[in-house]
Amino acid sequence: MSWKSSSDPSSGYFTGSLERLDAPEVYFWYNKTKPYWRTGPWNGRVFLGSPRMSTEYLYGWRFEPNDSGIPYLTYNFENPSMFGVLTISPHGTLKLVEFLNKKIFLELEVDQNKCDLYGTCGPFGSCDNSTLPICSCFEGFEPRNPEEWNRENWTSGCVRNVQLNCGKLNNTSDVQQDRFRVYQNMQVPDFAKRLLGSDQDRCGTSCLGNCSCLAYAYDPYIGCMYWNSDLIDLQKFPNGGVDLFI
């Protein structure tokens, strides 16, 4: 739990938790109920929604149960003379203080932009911090409330304006080229479901054959992920993330 302010150590507005333990994610919550930020699913090496882990602190993270079976996420420095303290800042960011030989060596607060905040662009909206405006609808979708959208209130998100034609195809290349749009370097939506034992091709054909499946993604460490409800909290990264097929 965060402090209330930098000078007030009483309980603040932000808490953190591990959620979706099938493909674990770290969540920050505002007032304990409203999702504020998330890391994306853990694939055994990195969190898919946290590209910075691919360049910094890649090794040393562990997600495993303790002796009582309670899952924990830990990080160990390679240098035994170092240790660190991770906290949530009073304004909901991740703060790391590193110590070397018992002296503060580095203080780092992980930057956030508007796209990092949970659900900035609403259901079926994609956030890209490198563009203006930062929110857009996917191809085949349009703003649910154009008036709000034009005022840069994107929380109502987007709705489909192209009817789905659900069915099966036998050719897996047709699945990827003709029936799905692929968006690269994406943070996957919240509420992922997993389809165990499927490779990338079977992941696509399985989604196509299920009329409730709206999107899928594949990570070699997690496997097949798919979504059958509103796609929420999507972000386009300059690098990292995964390919998302909608």
Side-chain angles (χ1 to χ4, degrees), residues 21-174:
L21 297 183
D22 189 37
E25 301 189 48
V26 175
Y27 279 72
F28 285 1
W29 303 86
Y30 182 75
N31 280 342
K32 299 183 179 179
T33 58
K34 182 179 179 180
Y36 181 77
W37 173 82
R38 68 188 180 102
T39 59
W42 170 251
N43 73 358
R45 300 172 67 249
V46 296
F47 289 102
L48 294 182
S50 303
R52 189 171 187 175
M53 288 186 68
S54 298
T55 54
E56 300 177 40
Y57 310 108
L58 176 58
Y59 301 104
W61 290 102
R62 298 288 183 273
F63 178 84
E64 54 194 3
N66 65 6
D67 293 339
S68 301
I70 299 173
Y72 275 86
L73 179 71
T74 61
Y75 183 85
N76 292 318
F77 291 100
E78 184 177 5
N79 184 344
S81 299
M82 297 183 67
F83 72 95
V85 178
L86 277 172
T87 58
I88 306 175
S89 73
H91 47 278
T93 57
L94 187 66
K95 183 176 181 179
L96 170 65
V97 180
E98 293 183 15
F99 294 82
L100 177 62
N101 296 321
K102 301 181 180 181
K103 294 183 179 180
I104 293 178
F105 172 71
L106 175 68
E107 292 188 63
L108 173 68
E109 194 167 327
V110 178
D111 294 333
Q112 286 181 345
N113 58 60
K114 288 185 178 180
C115 288
D116 293 322
L117 304 183
Y118 186 94
T120 293
C121 298
F124 299 104
S126 178
C127 199
D128 185 345
N129 194 56
S130 68
T131 65
L132 288 175
I134 59 174
C135 289
S136 62
C137 295
F138 293 107
E139 185 174 350
F141 292 79
E142 62 186 5
R144 180 183 295 274
N145 189 322
E147 185 177 338
E148 288 184 355
W149 191 272
N150 291 333
R151 295 200 306 264
E152 299 190 352
N153 177 1
W154 302 294
T155 53
S156 59
C158 306
V159 293
R160 187 179 296 279
N161 61 18
V162 175
Q163 187 66 31
L164 282 177
N165 182 18
C166 180
K168 292 184 178 181
L169 292 177
N170 294 322
N171 189 324
T172 56
S173 66
D174 289 342

